[in-house]
Amino acid sequence: MSTSRARVVHEGARVTPLELFFDLVFVYAITQVTQLMAADPTVRGVVRGMLLLALLWWCWCCYSWLGNRVHADDDGARIVLFGAMAVMLVASVTIPEAFDDLPGGLPGPLVFAACYLVVRVLHLVSYWRFSQGDAALRRQLAVTCLPMLSGTVVLVTASFTSGLTQTALWALALAVDYGGVLLTGVSGWRVHSAVHFAERYALIVLIALGESIVAVGVGVADLPVSWPIVYGIVCGLVIAAALWWAYFDVVAPTAERVLHAASGARRAALARDSFTYLHLPMIAGIILLALGLKKTMNYLAGADGHTPSEHLHGVGPYALYGGVLLYVLGHIGFRLRNLGSVNRVRVAMAVALVVLTPVALLVPAWAALGVLTVACVLWIAVEVRVYGGARREIRESIHAPAAH
């Protein structure tokens, strides 16, 4: 792996095709997590799915930072990304037995833990090589090794346990790794291109939204089309469109501008908190929504003995409404960290979702989906109305350079 040709990313650099190619593995991993929760639609299944997502997210974030240090299309970086993709793909295939080993073959939980270790070590070693001449960054990387190795030891230990103990050890492993990076500070980290960094995370939000759309169709792909199915497809798309609007209309470009205006350690801290940490609840919310949509479509399609007029049962309604709630809460935290202010409409939307969740348990499946759809449409409509002036100014400033 040559470092002589490694080019440090410059301000204004954008996401490369190779990084998008890298994200395809994450797409498959997200699909696997959704299917895992769908196969075990219990509190235990959802908790395990969220733990898996958090671990995969951490791996992905590591390489988003690496890609902001060195150009991903340089030869050395290409080799690193291809290697990480191979290991991540193995980990993704192993997701169905990340907790419960299937008969025959290799021990699934241990293979998954080993893949996590390899991906993290590959990231730190390559980051070290590409940080030649930056003593502060190398000190930061050295400090980061401790929580990474500690968390991995806990994860490997968890692979030899089962049940609640195993789940608790997974949570502990993630707490050690996430918390360790938070506690070690940002003195050595660098964000070389605000545009690249913000775009990287915006694209992963888009990928997650794609999973919510896929979930609408996957559950009914083998069933004859009907009016309830058409209704469900339209509602699912409208909800996904509302979530897209909430992020990409003004939030994404505003966050990019705030990150661009910051510098040094302040920029690194902002990137870590706003993107690496606070985007996780957004992604988790979208994945939970995908689970809820998949379960609701079974009712609308009459699959597994359900009917559209039947009430939603199990984790379905909680995933449906709770997913959007988690997404909204992520946005509230995101704005608070970036701008130091609170979006009142989104706070009201969060409260409304909490109030409406019990209602979703009492009405037919089609009505529960319809109520959520209407709530999302009203949310966006009210924001456009309340923040119309500020929204126009932001959008005009964003597109102003293109007009010259």
Side-chain angles (χ1 to χ4, degrees):
M1 184 169 57
S2 172
T3 59
S4 60
R5 295 183 180 180
R7 296 170 297 153
V8 175
V9 170
H10 59 82
E11 190 68 77
R14 305 195 72 90
V15 175
T16 66
L18 179 55
E19 289 172 298
L20 296 177
F21 186 40
F22 178 86
D23 289 349
L24 293 179
V25 176
F26 194 69
V27 172
Y28 177 61
I30 287 176
T31 302
Q32 287 282 79
V33 170
T34 305
Q35 291 180 350
L36 178 73
M37 293 190 294
D40 182 16
T42 62
V43 173
R44 186 194 72 163
V46 171
V47 169
R48 287 183 166 185
M50 291 294 99
L51 288 173
L52 271 165
L53 179 65
L55 189 144
L56 293 166
W57 172 256
W58 200 237
C59 291
W60 181 88
C61 288
C62 289
Y63 288 87
S64 71
W65 282 83
L66 179 62
N68 201 264
R69 165 70 188 183
V70 62
H71 283 272
D73 52 0
D74 284 350
D75 289 345
R78 286 184 182 184
I79 295 171
V80 171
L81 288 182
F82 286 143
M85 287 174 67
V87 181
M88 284 290 290
L89 188 55
V90 173
S92 300
V93 171
T94 314
I95 283 176
E97 50 180 330
F99 288 93
D100 300 314
D101 188 30
L102 298 178
L106 300 172
L110 188 58
V111 170
F112 190 90
C115 287
Y116 178 67
L117 173 62
V118 172
V119 168
R120 295 286 276 114
V121 169
L122 179 61
H123 165 258
L124 288 175
V125 170
S126 57
Y127 218 140
W128 179 276
R129 292 180 65 86
F130 291 135
S131 63
Q132 190 172 19
D134 192 336
L137 177 55
R138 287 197 163 182
R139 283 195 299 270
Q140 189 77 55
L141 291 168
V143 172
T144 304
C145 284
L146 182 59
M148 183 276 291
L149 291 173
S150 301
T152 303
V153 168
V154 176
L155 194 63
V156 170
T157 303
S159 67
F160 295 100
T161 64
S162 61
L164 184 60
T165 301
Q166 184 185 37
T167 304
L169 286 174
W170 265 70
L172 177 60
L174 285 168
V176 169
D177 211 347
Y178 273 68
V181 171
L182 186 64
L183 292 174
T184 53
V186 295
S187 60
W189 296 118
R190 305 282 186 271
V191 176
H192 295 275
S193 172
V195 174
H196 172 276
F197 200 86
E199 185 180 17
R200 197 84 175 85
Y201 283 79
L203 289 172
I204 209 66
V205 170
L206 196 62
I207 285 172
L209 287 171
E211 171 61 20
S212 69
I213 294 175
V214 169
V216 173
V218 166
V220 297
D222 298 328
L223 299 173
V225 67
S226 62
W227 283 115
I229 288 178
V230 172
Y231 167 81
I233 290 172
V234 172
C235 287
L237 182 59
V238 169
I239 294 170
L243 302 193
W244 177 92
W245 191 304
Y247 186 89
F248 288 96
D249 186 47
V250 295
V251 168
T254 300
E256 180 186 312
R257 291 171 60 184
V258 171
L259 187 63
H260 180 77
S263 60
R266 181 174 175 272
R267 176 188 276 195
L270 190 62
R272 179 199 62 189
D273 299 343
S274 297
F275 292 90
T276 299
Y277 284 95
L278 287 173
H279 269 59
L280 176 56
M282 296 185 202
I283 301 298
I286 295 171
I287 302 309
L288 282 176
L289 171 65
L291 173 64
L293 287 173
K294 188 172 185 178
K295 290 300 180 183
T296 304
M297 288 301 293
N298 285 339
Y299 285 75
L300 297 181
D304 302 325
H306 297 300
T307 64
S309 59
E310 186 181 348
H311 298 175
L312 293 173
H313 299 92
V315 301
Y318 296 103
L320 194 66
Y321 281 72
V324 179
L325 173 61
L326 189 55
Y327 182 79
V328 173
L329 291 175
H331 270 273
I332 293 172
F334 187 55
R335 172 163 173 163
L336 188 61
R337 179 62 180 87
N338 272 270
L339 302 177
S341 61
V342 175
N343 184 319
R344 294 169 298 166
V345 177
R346 298 192 181 187
V347 172
M349 178 63 177
V351 173
L353 288 167
V354 172
V355 173
L356 290 173
T357 300
V359 176
L361 303 172
L362 304 175
V363 299
W366 65 267
L369 182 60
V371 169
L372 180 60
T373 305
V374 172
C376 287
V377 171
L378 288 176
W379 163 30
I380 299 302
V382 170
E383 281 199 357
V384 170
R385 177 72 176 177
V386 172
Y387 300 110
R391 176 175 175 267
R392 280 192 298 272
E393 290 180 8
I394 293 171
R395 291 177 62 80
E396 286 174 2
S397 65
I398 292 169
H399 297 295
H404 295 290

